[in-house]
Amino acid sequence: MHRVCIHRHSAQRQFKRLAPSERALQSKYVAAKLGLWESTDKIRILKNLEVGEGYALPQLRMLFLSWHRPSRKDQAACLNSCKDGEFNYDAKYKGATQKSPFSGERANDLKRDGFVTNHASVKLGSGKDVFLDGKKALQNWRHFQLPWAFVDASTPILEGTKVCVCAHELVAWIMNPLQVLYVDAKEPPKFPSRVDQNNHQQQAAFAFGSGTLRGHMLAGEEKFAVEWREDDSVWYEISSFAKPANFLSFAGYPVARLQQKMFAKQSLAAMERAVRQGSVDIHSQSAFSALHHRHPCT
C-alpha cells in the first residue's frame, strides 16, 4: 500500500521553522482553502484544516488508498494510524444501532442531523442448527466476503477491536477504519425440546455493531445480527445510519447510497449461501457417521 501519514505535531514543528512572513502567507492560504495533497508516490490524502493561535494547523484525516487489493500489512498500517475511540460522528449516537430498526424520536433525531438509516433482513431458515450456522458465518465475516468489498476473515469480533473495511472504487481500493462498539450474544439452550411460543428461553441472538473512525469516508454505525426467534425462524439483519464524513464523500454520496443498497443485497445472499453450505456439511457428516456406525472399518 502506498500511503501518506502526516501527524499534527510534525506539522507544527515544520510550521514553526518558517519565517513570520512565510507563516502569515501559509496561514491565509490553508485557512482559505480545503483540498487534496498529493505525495511523491502519487497517493492522495484528504485534509481538514482548523485555525488556531493565528495560523492554520493541519488536522489530517487520512484517506487510505491502494492500487491493488489491500494485504493484511496494508490494513494493519491503516488501523495503526487511527486512534482507539476517535469516532467521526456525534457521541450521543454512539451505540444507537443496538436498538434498531430505528423508529420514533431517535429516527427523527438521526434524520434531523443528516443521517440516512438503512435496514435489511432475510430469513435464513428455522431451528437451532441454522442459528448456529448463521452465527458461525457472521463470526467469520462471511457476510463481508464480496468481490468488491471485504473484511479480513481473521479479524476478531470483540468490543474495542478495530476493523478495516476494504472497498474497490473505480481504479483503486479504499480502506475504511471502524471499531467494534458492542457485541451482544444470547446463547441458545443446550437441550431445547420443542418450540414454545411463550418460552423466551428458546430465543437466541448474536449481534455486533461498529462505529466509523476518523479517516472513514462515511460517518455512522452499522450492525449485523443473526436472531433465532420464538417462532423458530432464524433471521439475518443489517442496520445502519450514515452520512458523508467530508466534502469528497459528500460529492460522491449518491454513488455511496447505491453501494450501500448493493452491499445489503449481496450480503444477505452471502449469508444464505453460507448457511446452506453449513447445512450441507452437517448432513454430510451425519451421513458419514451413520455409515461408519453400520459398517465400521475396525
Side-chain angles (χ1 to χ4, degrees), residues 285-296:
Q285 292 173 4
S286 299
F288 177 79
S289 298
L291 181 63
H292 181 74
H293 178 72
R294 291 179 182 177
H295 305 285

Side-chain angles (χ1 to χ4, degrees), residues 25-87:
L25 180 62
Q26 183 175 344
S27 297
K28 291 179 181 179
Y29 174 75
V30 297
K33 185 177 182 180
L34 291 175
L36 291 170
W37 281 353
E38 187 167 343
S39 70
T40 56
D41 57 1
K42 298 182 181 180
I43 294 302
R44 294 181 176 181
I45 58 173
L46 180 68
K47 64 179 182 179
N48 289 336
L49 303 176
E50 64 179 17
V51 178
E53 300 180 4
Y55 59 88
L57 295 177
Q59 275 286 64
L60 302 180
R61 299 179 182 179
M62 300 301 172
L63 174 61
F64 292 96
L65 300 178
S66 176
W67 304 121
H68 55 82
R69 184 180 175 92
S71 65
R72 288 185 177 180
K73 183 178 179 180
D74 297 333
Q75 297 170 56
C78 169
L79 297 179
N80 289 338
S81 299
C82 303
K83 294 182 180 179
D84 287 347
E86 195 173 45
F87 300 101

Side-chain angles (χ1 to χ4, degrees), residues 86-91 93-97 102 110 113-118 177-182 209-214 216-223 239-246 249 253 260:
E86 195 173 45
F87 300 101
N88 65 352
Y89 61 101
D90 198 322
Y93 293 127
K94 184 178 177 181
T97 50
F102 311 102
L110 288 167
D113 286 343
F115 291 100
V116 176
T117 59
N118 302 281
L178 300 95
Q179 188 167 12
V180 177
L181 292 168
Y182 59 86
S210 304
T212 55
L213 296 171
R214 294 191 182 278
H216 199 294
M217 290 291 288
L218 299 178
E221 279 183 24
E222 58 186 6
K223 172 188 175 180
S239 299
S240 68
F241 62 88
K243 66 180 179 180
N246 50 58
S249 57
Y253 195 54
Q260 286 179 321

